[in-house]
Every structure is written in structure tokens, then in C-alpha cells.
Amino acid sequence: MTISTAAASVTEPPPFARELLRWRTARRVSQLELASRAGTTQRYVSFIERGRSVPGREIVIRLAESLGLTLRERNSLLLAAGYAPAFAESPLDAVALKPVREALDSILEGHLPYPAVVAGPRGELVAANEAFDVLTEGADPALLAPPVNVLRLALHPRGMGWGSPLLERS
């Protein structure tokens, strides 16, 4: 969007510039610090954030690494810059992740008799041990219908703890 007047022309920065600024602000990193970590100059970071420079793929990856973003977040930043994702994403049941799944199952089983869950990045239930029912006792059955979102289940007024005799209802 460009707004032109007789005195000035204001252009909204591109999606990558907005995303980089958002991540830098969320991480509480100055332009100078980010530039130092990424091996570039503060001026170049400023130009990128204002949309005056279009960064190459390599600098996008270095900036993302310097901000400590997850691989999924790095892919998102690459997409915002107009590049293809660099990091493959595999489902937990993929053959390559079998050792990870076995480790998670072992941890869940070792946590018994206490309830334990594995949640995905958006709160979706990935796995739970046999004691998970203790957490969900009395919860609204609609919240337990797949796909279960553990965050919603925990925070919803009729979620975890709703049917618990320990909580008084008014």
C-alpha cells in the first residue's frame, strides 16, 4: 500500500520486513546486536526492516538462526521472504523419527502413575500415558473429541478440573 501526498510518500514494508521486526522485538534484540550475531551491519538490518533492501536466502537463514528461531519458524521466515523452506518437516510417525517416538513413549510410561502428555506446537495432543484420564475426569466430552487441544482443554471453563470434587461450584 502506497500513500502519496505532495510532501511525502509512505510505503508499507514487505511481509518479511514486518516478520523480522516482530521476531526481533519479541526476542528483545537490538538491530546492532542482531547484525553482530548474523555477521552483517546494523545499517543493512535497518534497510531490511524498512523494506529498502531485499535479503538473500543465506542472510534470511543467518538472521533466523541469530534470533534463535525454531526450524519451523525459520521456514516461515523464508516463506515470508519469498524463498522455499530449507528444513524438512516430518510427522512424528515417520520412519526417521522412530527413535524419537520410542523415547517419548518411554518417558510417558516412566512417568506413571502420574499423568503426562506430549503436545505439539499448537497444543494438539500427540501422545499421553494411561493416567491421562485423571486429568480429564469430568471434562466436557466435546473438548475430548479428536483432535484434542491440550491448551484449550486446560484453560476452558468446562475443561480440566471441571468435574473435580476439589473445586467448589458457585
Side-chain angles (χ1 to χ4, degrees), residues 107-109 111-120 123-155 158-162:
I107 291 168
L108 290 172
E109 185 178 325
H111 204 66
L112 287 170
Y114 304 104
V117 299
V118 176
E124 69 275 4
L125 179 66
V126 174
N129 66 8
E130 295 167 7
F132 180 66
D133 294 342
V134 172
L135 291 176
T136 60
E137 186 177 328
D140 186 343
L143 295 172
L144 298 172
V148 175
N149 186 297
V150 179
L151 301 174
R152 182 170 183 239
L153 182 62
L155 299 173
R158 294 190 181 269
M160 290 180 187
W162 171 255

Side-chain angles (χ1 to χ4, degrees), residues 25-104:
T25 303
R27 295 287 201 257
R28 297 177 184 220
V29 175
S30 69
Q31 285 181 344
L32 182 60
E33 185 178 354
L34 178 59
S36 176
R37 289 180 188 177
T40 188
T41 65
Q42 182 270 329
R43 181 178 178 167
Y44 185 56
V45 172
S46 173
F47 275 30
I48 292 171
E49 285 185 357
R50 287 193 263 147
R52 292 182 63 190
S53 290
V54 177
R57 182 180 175 85
E58 184 181 324
I59 190 68
V60 172
I61 292 172
R62 286 198 336 244
L63 290 167
E65 287 172 355
S66 300
L67 288 168
L69 302 183
T70 66
L71 298 181
R72 181 176 285 120
E73 293 163 344
R74 292 175 195 185
N75 278 343
S76 178
L77 204 56
L78 281 164
L79 286 170
Y83 299 107
F87 307 99
E89 189 169 341
S90 301
L92 194 56
D93 58 357
V95 175
L97 293 181
K98 185 179 180 193
V100 173
R101 182 60 191 225
E102 289 172 353
L104 289 173

